[in-house]
Amino acid sequence: MFLSRLARSTFLLNPTKRNFFASSTDHSRLLDSAEVHRVDYDGRGCQYVLVAHGTDKELVVKVPQLHLARIWLDSDGKTVFGAKVVNRTLGKPVDVCGRVLDAALSDAGEGALARSCLHGLSDWVDRGISTCENIPILSELGDAELSAVDAIAKGKCHEDAYNMGRDGWERLARDFLSRGLGEEAMLYDSKGGRLERIEHLADDGEFKGTSGGTVAIFSFS
């Protein structure tokens, strides 16, 4: 009985089951020692994965839950996309994904591009319209164009309406980026990427509704 109480007391004073991501110090140590693995997929390009030091390559492939961050290099060998922080407690892409991006850009070489989602653009525009948030571009649009932009933001837009709001939507997308509101875009900007163009109806992923299907293309010299 005495030993049981002693063991219990020791456990309470020195618990072994603690949250691995308990503090910013844990985060820093984890990221500082983390390793980048390249995983190739036939016909799909390759993925660069940041994992804890010492993680076996087979586990990197089979257990995506172990990933700290990842990014893709398209099968064209030049276009980087899909930067993602898997455990959001570690920070934003600009804080966590730098090393996987460096690895991808190194392999892409001269003429590398990055394709950034603009998740959050639609909500930002919708709030600007409904709450008169400080987005001066909105006040510069005519009634028909503003109505079309509103439809794009709400995801209730047919082709004619999209064409009507296309120019205004692009101006808003560029404003969104200039304010540092695009998390993935900030990562590419931090590594010297230059905004090359905005592409419309180009995001066909799971969260395309959060950006009106818009993506930003960055180039690296």
Side-chain angles (χ1 to χ4, degrees), residues 35-51 56-64 67 69-74 100 103 107:
E35 303 171 338
V36 176
H37 289 262
R38 171 175 166 156
V39 182
D40 292 283
Y41 296 90
D42 290 341
R44 295 173 55 198
C46 56
Q47 195 175 57
Y48 300 82
V49 182
L50 189 71
V51 292
D56 185 79
K57 178 67 173 287
E58 186 175 352
L59 289 176
V60 174
V61 176
K62 292 183 176 181
V63 189
H67 299 179
R70 53 183 177 247
I71 201 167
W72 283 90
L73 178 62
D74 196 23
V100 288
D107 285 352

Side-chain angles (χ1 to χ4, degrees), residues 31 34 36 50 68-70 84-101 187:
L31 293 175
V36 176
L50 189 71
L68 305 177
R70 53 183 177 247
K84 181 177 183 178
V85 179
V86 179
N87 189 313
R88 297 288 292 178
T89 64
L90 294 175
K92 297 180 179 180
V94 70
D95 305 313
V96 183
C97 296
R99 290 172 58 198
V100 288
L101 176 56
L187 167 68

Side-chain angles (χ1 to χ4, degrees), residues 8 14 16 48-49 54 65 73 85 87 98 102 140 144 148 164 180 205 211-212 217:
R8 185 172 180 275
N14 300 286
T16 57
Y48 300 82
V49 182
Q65 294 86 348
L73 178 62
V85 179
N87 189 313
D102 286 341
E140 299 169 7
M164 171 66 71
S211 64
I217 304 298

Side-chain angles (χ1 to χ4, degrees), residues 119-217:
H119 297 330
L121 171 60
S122 293
D123 284 345
W124 178 69
V125 173
D126 188 46
R127 285 197 308 274
I129 293 173
S130 61
T131 66
C132 299
E133 187 172 318
N134 183 27
I135 307 177
I137 292 171
L138 292 173
S139 63
E140 299 169 7
L141 303 179
D143 290 345
E145 189 175 13
L146 182 60
S147 178
V149 162
D150 186 38
I152 295 172
K154 288 181 167 60
K156 301 177 180 179
C157 181
H158 55 73
E159 184 177 353
D160 288 343
Y162 194 94
N163 290 336
M164 171 66 71
R166 180 187 179 101
D167 290 345
W169 189 257
E170 178 161 336
R171 291 177 63 196
L172 288 162
R174 290 178 178 274
D175 190 18
F176 181 80
L177 290 171
S178 71
R179 296 173 184 235
L181 299 177
E183 290 191 1
E184 186 178 6
M186 286 179 64
L187 167 68
Y188 301 136
D189 180 76
S190 73
K191 294 293 184 176
R194 182 175 65 86
L195 180 61
E196 190 76 19
R197 62 185 181 274
I198 298 293
E199 292 189 350
H200 297 264
L201 301 178
D203 187 347
D204 58 359
E206 181 182 359
F207 302 107
K208 63 183 179 182
T210 69
S211 64
T214 308
V215 300
I217 304 298

